[in-house]
Amino acid sequence: MNKKRIRLRAIVSAVVLMLSFFLAKYDVFAGDILSYIYYYTDTGYHPVPAPSPYNYIKSVNAEDLRIEDLNGINSIFVSDKHVYIGCNGKIVITDHNFNLIRELTSFIYNGKEQEISDITGMWVTDNEELYACEPSKGRILHFGSDWSIKRILGKPEGIIIPENVAYQPLKVAVDSVGRIYVVANNIYEGLVEINPDGTFLRYFGVVEVRYTPIQLFWRRLQTAEQRARSRLWLPVNFSNLTIDGDDFVYATVAGSGDEEPIRKLNAKGRNILRYPVGTGVKPQGDLEYNHYGLRVPAGKSTLSAIDVNDYGLYVVLDTKRSRIFAYDEDGYMLYAFGESGTAEWRFQLPVDVKFMGEDRLLVADRGSESIKVFELNDYGRSIHNAVKYQSQFNYDLAMEEWKKVIDHNPAFQYAYVGVGKALYRRGDYKTARDYFLLGQDVYYYSMAYKKIRQEWAEQYFDLFVGILVLLVMCVSVYKIIKKFKFQVRMEA
Amino acid sequence: MIAFIQDKFISVLEVFKNRIDLKEDFIKYPFYIISRPFKGFSDLKYENRGKMYFALMVVILMCFFNIYNEMYKGFVLAGYYTENKTVNTVYVIFMTIIPIILFVVANWSVTAIANGSGKMKEIFMVYAYASYPKIIFSFIGLILSNFVTVEEAAFAMFFYSLGMVSFLFYLFVGLVVIHEYSFTQSVLMIVMTVIVMCIIVFIVALLLALSNEVIVFIRTVVEELTMRL
């Protein structure tokens, strides 16, 4: 009896041990989520597999929300308390646990009830006022904090667009002062900036047309008739926008092929997005891609959504290959994950991406009419924490997190740069230099190397001066002796 | 017998000793060319001052330099870092020697039919003597590249570029002198040389591709025959 009990206990403990082992593992190597990181070698950037930074939690569809459908889900917005889901004909409002709070399908304006048509973009201000774009009716709906209609912003007064072009607001963002930024269809002058009172202020952040010399050459050769019939060279439009805590507008450029597809616009409308100085590679989604495309679509990433969190970490969504890319505020890529497919954690037609709280990420998928919920695992949380500490200039804490990241993924080169930065602050320049070498960062390597060289020069400065003085003395003594000898010979 | 071999050996050594004047061949004459290229290269053609063994040494030096350049170029200039770096020496040597052969053959084939009076040996020697300053400058650049930061990288790059520019300059001058061309003729010759180099590369590539076809054909025939027999 006693023996049996011991044996049972042994089996149970073994099973528990094994389970705990698997559970611990599972926390990082999340399912089959495709994830990679760009690794720099002598032939440029190449993708290498990386652990997924997110675990797939669940997929929220109409049934879970107890509503009819999420047909044509086009945008989501996460405010401090609620999640807003913009669909075809309604706006669904839930709390952060996806319990339905309200389903807006119509509103009463001036005593008349109006149906909501398709909602393509939304923004919620800090005091829970909702702005929603309704492109088919050419207007932006402004709801109060109790979700009753407050005003309807039609085509803004004073805007200059041709008569035959309809004003179709697609995406909207509102800054802390109440200025409204709109991405509108068929408007190539940039973002439309509207005053808080609804009047047109200006066009903002124009995407310039750039010509290559070859294009200009061919255009010179064309006749006027040919020129009239060939395609217009229009500047590309923006596809989505968001605003960070400091009222900087982040926008993604529609279509692919632009040099700077992600832009951070300052008050003047200039792009001030930072990128690594060492390599000069601008944040743009995939760096290596199919040129001809057999099963994976070819060409550069097409970015269609962007969201930025409190500490400047931003994610962009590539609709072309259904991938999500994250960058820190210095423009270094942190992770890339996701792929298209019909499995639960894959995307059929992702349209929007938003952070929820500290460690959740929501992806709106129009193809499966659902919202995919992802949660940071140990690996991803370490990356986020490291970036957070770094933005707070807390380099020592950041170094601990970067070291954890390296433990999970030794191929993550930016983590070495992070560790190096902390060591550099401490004054341990030699180790910092070695880390910068591993991180392949020429810029920071130079900073560390300069310090090392300076220290070296200071250390041996006395020696150099001593040798120099000695040499001068030797030469002069030699000359004097030679002269003396010469004189002696002359006398002789 | 042993005494005879010894004598022979010593006499050979003496001949070499008389013919090889290291100071003259490796310092005086190359630097004479650097300072007075026209006079220097005409000395090469008419006074037999140029030495074939020096030219071969320069080729070997170039191979060594390119290997060291791959291996020890500073992180700032190379742009990437690898622990336990390895260099494919055979590849580097081939990539050094093949362009030389290509250039010499192309230039000779152009000038032989266009009244150039330079021999193939002379073209090769001009190439080698013109490469000498390039090796020196690039070597300075290579050393400096290990001691510069990003802001000073241009300083090391300058030496590499200077090496390249001086190489092109001395090569041009040397070819003008040994072929006895006027300026316009020699510019034309350079353009033609480049075209011929392209043609040679094209033909060699074509030859390799076609010979592969022939080999495959012969192999299939042989296979077929062995199957039948």
Side-chain angles (χ1 to χ4, degrees):
Chain A
M1 198 63 185
N2 210 7
K3 257 187 184 174
K4 239 183 187 176
R5 189 176 271 177
I6 288 168
R7 195 178 291 164
L8 198 71
R9 199 176 277 174
I11 288 167
V12 166
S13 52
V15 166
V16 166
L17 228 141
M18 270 172 71
L19 267 180
S20 64
F21 177 73
F22 277 120
L23 284 176
K25 274 268 171 198
Y26 183 71
D27 202 329
V28 169
F29 296 95
D32 297 315
I33 299 178
L34 174 100
S35 175
Y36 57 95
I37 185 86
Y38 277 96
Y39 187 85
Y40 189 70
T41 67
D42 54 336
T43 51
Y45 281 100
H46 298 292
V48 291
S52 169
Y54 285 97
N55 284 353
Y56 170 74
I57 300 294
K58 61 183 170 184
S59 164
V60 179
N61 50 31
E63 229 169 86
D64 300 320
L65 294 170
R66 297 202 184 80
I67 53 173
E68 214 168 286
D69 57 40
L70 283 174
N71 186 14
I73 176 169
N74 224 329
S75 67
I76 43 176
F77 193 90
V78 182
S79 70
D80 290 341
K81 294 177 211 150
H82 303 112
V83 178
Y84 297 77
I85 307 163
C87 313
N88 212 345
K90 65 187 147 202
I91 300 169
V92 182
I93 302 161
T94 72
D95 64 6
H96 280 194
N97 296 319
F98 295 104
N99 298 315
L100 183 68
I101 291 175
R102 189 89 183 259
E103 193 185 353
L104 291 172
T105 51
S106 62
F107 56 88
I108 296 163
Y109 188 67
N110 286 345
K112 270 193 269 176
E113 190 170 354
Q114 295 193 27
E115 295 271 313
I116 291 176
S117 65
D118 56 329
I119 299 294
T120 53
M122 289 185 300
W123 187 268
V124 180
T125 59
D126 289 338
N127 44 10
E128 294 287 327
E129 290 190 4
L130 168 68
Y131 291 79
C133 289
E134 215 181 351
S136 58
K137 290 180 183 166
R139 61 191 187 177
I140 297 168
L141 307 172
H142 180 186
F143 295 91
S145 47
D146 56 344
W147 303 314
S148 63
I149 191 81
K150 211 169 165 184
R151 58 175 170 165
I152 293 176
L153 296 157
K155 186 170 162 181
E157 289 168 37
I159 193 170
I160 315 134
I161 47 173
E163 282 295 309
N164 54 351
V165 173
Y167 169 72
Q168 291 181 322
L170 292 177
K171 305 282 176 191
V172 64
V174 183
D175 72 4
S176 59
V177 197
R179 279 176 302 209
I180 305 159
Y181 299 89
V182 182
V183 171
N185 205 4
N186 293 326
I187 289 182
Y188 295 100
E189 282 87 353
L191 299 168
V192 180
E193 189 176 344
I194 302 171
N195 281 320
D197 62 0
T199 52
F200 174 70
L201 179 61
R202 58 171 173 169
Y203 287 118
F204 183 67
V206 188
V207 186
E208 318 80 16
V209 191
R210 288 216 185 86
Y211 311 104
T212 62
I214 296 166
Q215 278 177 322
L216 284 177
F217 173 73
W218 282 117
R219 200 164 172 83
R220 272 195 85 86
L221 292 185
Q222 283 175 331
T223 61
E225 227 170 60
Q226 279 176 323
R227 233 172 273 169
R229 288 183 69 175
S230 65
R231 209 165 53 133
L232 279 176
W233 286 352
L234 291 171
V236 271
N237 207 345
F238 287 108
S239 60
N240 210 332
L241 81 169
T242 189
I243 291 177
D244 73 353
D246 301 324
D247 279 347
F248 285 113
V249 176
Y250 285 72
T252 50
V253 173
S256 55
D258 198 82
E259 291 269 298
E260 302 165 338
I262 306 169
R263 298 181 181 210
K264 183 183 183 182
L265 303 166
N266 65 2
K268 248 179 136 182
R270 285 265 166 77
N271 182 16
I272 54 160
L273 193 79
R274 301 179 64 172
Y275 58 90
V277 206
T279 53
V281 173
K282 287 172 179 147
Q284 52 181 286
D286 270 321
L287 300 175
E288 196 179 277
Y289 42 82
N290 244 348
H291 284 275
Y292 306 106
L294 200 57
R295 285 157 79 192
V296 180
K300 280 184 163 183
S301 298
T302 308
L303 306 177
S304 66
I306 182 165
D307 195 25
V308 55
N309 73 5
D310 307 333
Y311 39 91
L313 190 155
Y314 55 94
V315 288
V316 290
L317 175 72
D318 170 13
T319 340
K320 189 180 262 180
R321 282 177 284 261
S322 302
R323 287 171 188 170
I324 290 162
F325 301 91
Y327 298 89
D328 77 344
E329 58 181 344
D330 290 333
Y332 287 90
M333 189 190 277
L334 302 171
Y335 48 79
F337 81 101
E339 65 187 307
S340 60
T342 47
E344 273 189 306
W345 58 85
R346 296 195 182 129
F347 313 125
Q348 289 178 30
L349 182 63
V351 285
D352 207 353
V353 59
K354 283 279 181 296
F355 288 112
M356 182 163 77
E358 265 287 289
D359 45 332
R360 288 206 167 188
L361 188 78
L362 308 182
V363 181
D365 187 8
R366 201 193 300 168
S368 61
E369 294 188 1
S370 64
I371 295 170
K372 316 274 185 191
V373 184
F374 293 91
E375 193 176 44
L376 283 177
N377 55 27
D378 283 354
Y379 172 66
R381 199 171 286 126
S382 289
I383 295 176
H384 276 232
N385 283 343
V387 171
K388 184 167 79 185
Y389 292 138
Q390 221 162 273
S391 73
Q392 296 162 352
F393 305 107
N394 200 339
Y395 287 91
D396 286 340
L397 280 176
M399 181 170 91
E400 296 307 314
E401 297 294 340
W402 283 129
K403 279 191 169 163
K404 280 185 211 165
V405 173
I406 294 170
D407 283 346
H408 286 305
N409 180 12
F412 192 5
Q413 292 175 318
Y414 182 47
Y416 294 98
V417 179
V419 175
K421 276 184 196 168
L423 292 167
Y424 180 82
R425 297 256 153 176
R426 281 185 196 170
D428 188 357
Y429 300 122
K430 276 189 180 154
T431 330
R433 180 195 58 184
D434 294 345
Y435 270 100
F436 291 141
L437 277 176
L438 286 175
Q440 308 284 10
D441 199 302
V442 173
Y443 180 71
Y444 283 108
Y445 164 84
S446 293
M447 273 168 63
Y449 180 71
K450 206 185 259 177
K451 291 279 181 193
I452 293 167
R453 203 173 54 181
Q454 200 177 323
E455 278 181 359
W456 187 83
E458 275 166 18
Q459 199 180 341
Y460 292 106
F461 183 71
D462 305 346
L463 196 71
F464 274 130
V465 172
I467 289 173
L468 210 72
V469 169
L470 214 71
L471 261 173
V472 169
M473 272 169 69
C474 283
V475 168
S476 47
V477 166
Y478 175 74
K479 273 187 176 168
I480 288 166
I481 290 171
K482 213 176 170 184
K483 212 174 181 182
F484 181 72
K485 266 187 179 169
F486 186 67
Q487 274 175 355
V488 170
R489 207 182 296 156
M490 286 288 278
E491 275 164 23
Chain B
M1 184 69 189
I2 291 165
F4 173 74
I5 290 171
Q6 262 181 352
D7 279 2
K8 199 80 186 162
F9 189 68
I10 286 163
S11 65
V12 165
L13 263 187
E14 266 170 1
V15 166
F16 262 98
K17 213 176 168 187
N18 291 339
R19 281 186 63 186
I20 296 177
D21 183 353
L22 284 178
K23 201 180 168 191
E24 154 72 16
D25 290 347
F26 276 87
I27 296 164
K28 268 193 179 168
Y29 183 54
F31 281 89
Y32 182 69
I33 284 182
I34 290 169
S35 54
R36 291 170 191 77
F38 286 96
K39 187 76 183 54
F41 281 119
S42 63
D43 277 9
L44 182 142
K45 190 169 170 68
Y46 302 111
E47 316 259 318
N48 268 337
R49 248 183 115 179
K51 295 286 185 309
M52 196 60 191
Y53 85 93
F54 172 82
L56 291 171
M57 281 303 285
V58 166
V59 172
I60 293 168
L61 266 178
M62 273 166 81
C63 293
F64 271 104
F65 172 75
N66 284 347
I67 290 165
Y68 285 125
N69 193 34
E70 288 275 305
M71 192 76 192
Y72 296 115
K73 201 173 191 181
F75 171 60
V76 172
L77 249 69
Y80 68 99
Y81 164 79
T82 24
E83 285 173 292
N84 309 323
K85 198 177 199 170
T86 53
V87 174
N88 188 348
T89 43
V90 177
Y91 175 77
V92 174
I93 288 170
F94 268 97
M95 287 321 276
T96 318
I97 291 174
I98 288 172
I100 299 176
I101 295 172
L102 194 62
F103 177 82
V104 171
V105 169
N107 192 267
W108 177 78
S109 13
V110 170
T111 53
I113 51 171
N115 279 334
S117 56
K119 296 174 204 134
M120 201 180 225
K121 189 181 155 191
E122 284 164 1
I123 298 169
F124 173 61
M125 280 206 287
V126 162
Y127 192 102
Y129 276 98
S131 304
Y132 196 63
K134 182 190 170 191
I135 295 173
I136 296 170
F137 283 129
S138 309
F139 190 68
I140 297 171
L142 173 62
I143 292 170
L144 274 179
S145 75
N146 284 291
F147 298 100
V148 290
T149 61
V150 156
E151 295 91 47
E152 301 145 10
F155 195 58
M157 272 314 289
F158 168 75
F159 279 96
Y160 278 100
S161 328
L162 189 68
M164 200 61 214
V165 169
S166 67
F167 166 67
L168 292 175
F169 172 72
Y170 288 118
L171 184 67
F172 182 72
V173 170
L175 291 176
V176 167
V177 171
I178 61 162
H179 292 312
E180 296 170 325
Y181 276 153
S182 69
F183 181 77
T184 40
Q185 273 177 320
S186 26
V187 169
L188 209 68
M189 166 209 40
I190 296 289
V191 173
M192 283 302 290
T193 307
V194 172
I195 293 169
V196 168
M197 279 165 84
C198 294
I199 291 171
I200 292 174
V201 169
F202 173 72
I203 288 172
V204 168
L206 201 69
L207 199 74
L208 286 177
L210 289 179
S211 66
N212 185 40
E213 297 275 308
V214 172
I215 289 164
V216 169
F217 172 73
I218 292 169
R219 190 188 291 160
T220 37
V221 168
V222 170
E223 251 172 45
E224 197 72 11
L225 282 174
T226 46
M227 295 282 201
R228 296 283 162 112
L229 290 172

